[in-house]
Amino acid sequence: MESVKALRNGKSFDYNIVLIGFMGTGKSTIAECLSNCFDMKKVEMDQEIVNREGMSIADIFSVHGEEYFRDAETNLLKEMQSEKNVVISCGGGTPLRDVNVQEMKKNGKVVLLTAKPETIYERVKDDHDRPLLENNKSAKFIEDMLLKRQDKYLAAADIIVETDGKSKLEICKDIVSALTALEK
Ligand code: S3P
């Protein structure tokens, strides 16, 4: 952790760090790590929506439908633009709406985390709170869905960090170095 902080001489960020990427690319884990390193507030969008709705993501999808969930994401992102120095961990589908990307960029730098379909499959296979993958869990399905989303992810990103085979500390260091380079 100290080694991550040292990359910026302990200086934090005067903008939000917005983590995007497909399900299972490590957004939540890395958000936790960055928020600990730099003593930043963390907002886990999925968790915040679950808390507000009082039901799981799977239940929100089955009771209200996907569009309702997507609207909740947009509203939450808009709300968060009054804050800075926050690590925001988005849901995997958040950057698919252009309006969401516009909101992210108002006060934040957008970090895209990537992973190979096989890596993602291994990370998500035992989890049951991802309605879009439930009953569809295979590296092939993930690859196809990733390909459909790829252009949106790339267009939203200020920086891109690969996560395959890296420790969370290595990923955090890569992010911090790339963000610091952007500031110059
Ligand atoms: C989704 C990703 C999920 C969650 C919802 C939809 C998506 O978040 O928001 O199940 O469309 O990719 P994670 O990326 O945190 O799993």
Side-chain angles (χ1 to χ4, degrees):
M1 293 252 262
E2 283 309 312
S3 56
V4 179
K5 243 178 139 175
L7 291 170
R8 295 177 62 82
N9 301 319
K11 189 175 148 266
S12 194
F13 297 87
D14 57 6
Y15 48 84
N16 297 332
I17 300 177
V18 186
L19 298 175
I20 64 165
F22 198 83
M23 295 169 263
T25 48
K27 301 176 297 283
S28 305
T29 309
I30 298 306
E32 177 78 25
C33 190
L34 288 174
S35 98
N36 287 339
C37 283
F38 292 99
D39 203 16
M40 293 167 83
K41 183 180 157 188
K42 181 189 69 157
V43 175
E44 178 73 45
M45 286 188 56
D46 283 347
Q47 192 55 50
E48 183 63 30
I49 294 170
V50 164
N51 294 346
R52 289 180 183 195
E53 297 293 329
M55 59 175 106
S56 69
I57 302 274
D59 285 347
I60 298 172
F61 269 66
S62 69
V63 174
H64 298 295
E66 182 172 349
E67 275 310 289
Y68 179 93
F69 175 77
R70 299 298 175 200
D71 288 341
E73 287 187 302
T74 301
N75 292 337
L76 178 56
L77 263 182
K78 284 187 174 161
E79 223 180 88
M80 280 178 339
Q81 301 320 312
S82 56
E83 300 194 48
K84 284 183 186 156
N85 197 233
V86 182
V87 186
I88 302 171
S89 174
C90 295
T94 314
L96 302 180
R97 277 193 183 177
D98 292 345
V99 61
N100 291 354
V101 176
Q102 285 160 21
E103 289 301 319
M104 292 172 193
K105 290 190 179 274
K106 280 186 181 164
N107 284 327
K109 296 284 178 230
V110 180
V111 178
L112 172 62
L113 298 181
T114 66
K116 295 193 180 105
E118 295 76 19
T119 309
I120 293 174
Y121 172 72
E122 285 302 320
R123 290 178 186 163
V124 303
K125 68 176 194 260
D126 297 324
D127 208 276
H128 296 287
D129 199 30
R130 291 190 173 93
L132 300 178
L133 291 185
E134 205 57 23
N135 306 320
N136 288 317
K137 274 198 206 122
S138 70
K140 175 77 179 102
F141 182 87
I142 290 168
E143 185 178 14
D144 289 346
M145 194 169 170
L146 201 49
L147 278 174
K148 281 191 202 127
R149 292 180 166 194
Q150 192 78 315
D151 289 351
K152 292 276 185 190
Y153 285 147
L154 294 175
D158 290 305
I159 64 166
I160 302 171
V161 173
E162 290 176 9
T163 66
D164 296 281
K166 289 184 193 163
S167 70
K168 63 180 177 185
L169 215 53
E170 286 172 318
I171 298 166
C172 285
K173 281 185 180 175
D174 287 351
I175 293 172
V176 170
S177 301
L179 287 175
T180 306
L182 272 190
E183 292 165 19
K184 286 176 184 149

